Amino acid sequence: MAQGAAATKETGRRSKAVAAKKQAILAAGLEFFSQYGIHGTSIEQVAERAEVSKTNLLYYYPSKEALYIAVLKQILDIWLAPLRAFREDLQPLVAIGEYIRLKLEVSRDYPQASRLFCLEMLQGAPLLKEELSGDLKTLVDDKSAIIAGWVESGKLAAVDPHHLIFMLWATTQHYADFASQVEAVAGSNLQDEAFFRRTVENVQRMIIEGIRVR
């Protein structure tokens, strides 16, 4: 029994070590890919920053393209978490207001991720098309159906669900993708707590007042 418990404990430690190493690789990949793109980044740079050998990195991610796709998929998971929380049983304006806050938190906490994803989209998403037309489309279609139901029941103004979602994405992600411009014009960014709070309040007000039933 003692040997079995020890073996289980050791397996758990190894599993955590592997997870930590993979996360370090993904974080290093994000740092370089967001600055230099996939073509301007080398596996050697990422391995050195993650403090692993090139051989070790390639054990987990067999090519630079595989690592790049893994980084993009992690970004997508982070970004879509607020949308997955979008539920039909919530009050529409409350749900949309909360979604705005959560998306701005993502833009504040993961600006590099936002910029990398934007870069990939500008290039035509050559390495992410399957993911976008699969899981992403399914999720957006499901949430669009919820918004359409709210519109049909008179709880929201007559808006196209897809265009509402696109506007929410564009508005909230602007503060990450164009952070330098925001700071140059406004003199602050989302890292400043007061500016973040004002941003949430203003974006919520402008979007919600546009879709409120009158």
Side-chain angles (χ1 to χ4, degrees):
M1 289 290 288
Q3 286 183 335
T8 300
K9 191 173 181 179
E10 179 62 24
T11 299
R13 276 200 297 264
R14 288 178 181 174
S15 179
K16 287 181 180 178
V18 168
K21 190 174 293 185
K22 291 175 73 173
Q23 187 53 46
I25 293 169
L26 290 172
L30 172 59
E31 180 181 343
F32 282 103
F33 290 142
S34 65
Q35 291 185 67
Y36 309 111
I38 185 171
H39 300 298
T41 297
S42 70
I43 285 292
E44 289 80 6
Q45 287 174 312
V46 177
E48 182 178 356
R49 182 57 54 88
E51 299 182 344
V52 299
S53 68
K54 178 181 176 181
T55 302
N56 199 209
L57 186 155
L58 291 173
Y59 173 79
Y60 298 113
Y61 304 101
S63 67
K64 184 166 65 171
E65 288 73 17
L67 173 60
Y68 185 74
I69 291 171
V71 170
L72 288 173
K73 285 185 175 180
Q74 185 181 58
I75 292 170
L76 208 52
D77 285 342
I78 292 168
W79 275 3
L80 294 180
L83 191 58
R84 290 192 178 100
F86 211 80
R87 302 197 317 273
E88 189 173 7
D89 61 321
L90 298 172
Q91 289 295 322
L93 298 183
V94 172
I96 291 168
E98 179 65 3
Y99 180 67
I100 289 168
R101 184 183 66 79
L102 291 173
K103 283 292 277 96
L104 284 167
E105 285 183 356
V106 171
S107 287
R108 179 194 63 193
D109 298 340
Y110 303 94
Q112 285 183 321
S114 184
R115 288 192 285 273
L116 176 58
F117 196 80
C118 180
L119 179 63
E120 177 68 11
M121 295 304 102
L122 289 173
Q123 294 172 344
L127 297 177
L128 207 58
K129 282 185 177 178
E130 184 176 340
E131 194 77 18
L132 295 178
S133 60
D135 293 345
L136 174 63
K137 185 179 186 308
T138 299
L139 179 62
V140 171
D141 285 347
D142 288 345
K143 302 309 179 180
S144 293
I146 291 175
I147 295 171
W150 287 337
V151 171
E152 289 171 10
S153 64
K155 295 178 180 178
L156 283 183
V159 295
D160 180 285
H162 283 111
H163 288 298
L164 175 58
I165 290 173
F166 294 156
M167 181 174 289
L168 291 169
W169 287 350
T171 305
T172 55
Q173 288 163 214
H174 173 86
Y175 291 90
D177 299 341
F178 293 87
S180 297
Q181 177 176 274
V182 169
E183 186 165 5
V185 174
S188 195
N189 57 44
L190 295 185
Q191 300 304 316
D192 178 85
E193 185 177 347
F195 183 77
F196 175 79
R197 186 172 62 253
R198 290 196 304 273
T199 301
V200 172
E201 291 170 354
N202 277 277
V203 173
Q204 286 176 334
R205 185 180 305 115
M206 287 182 281
I207 296 292
I208 288 173
E209 288 307 313
I211 60 177
R212 187 188 299 277
V213 175
R214 288 175 172 76

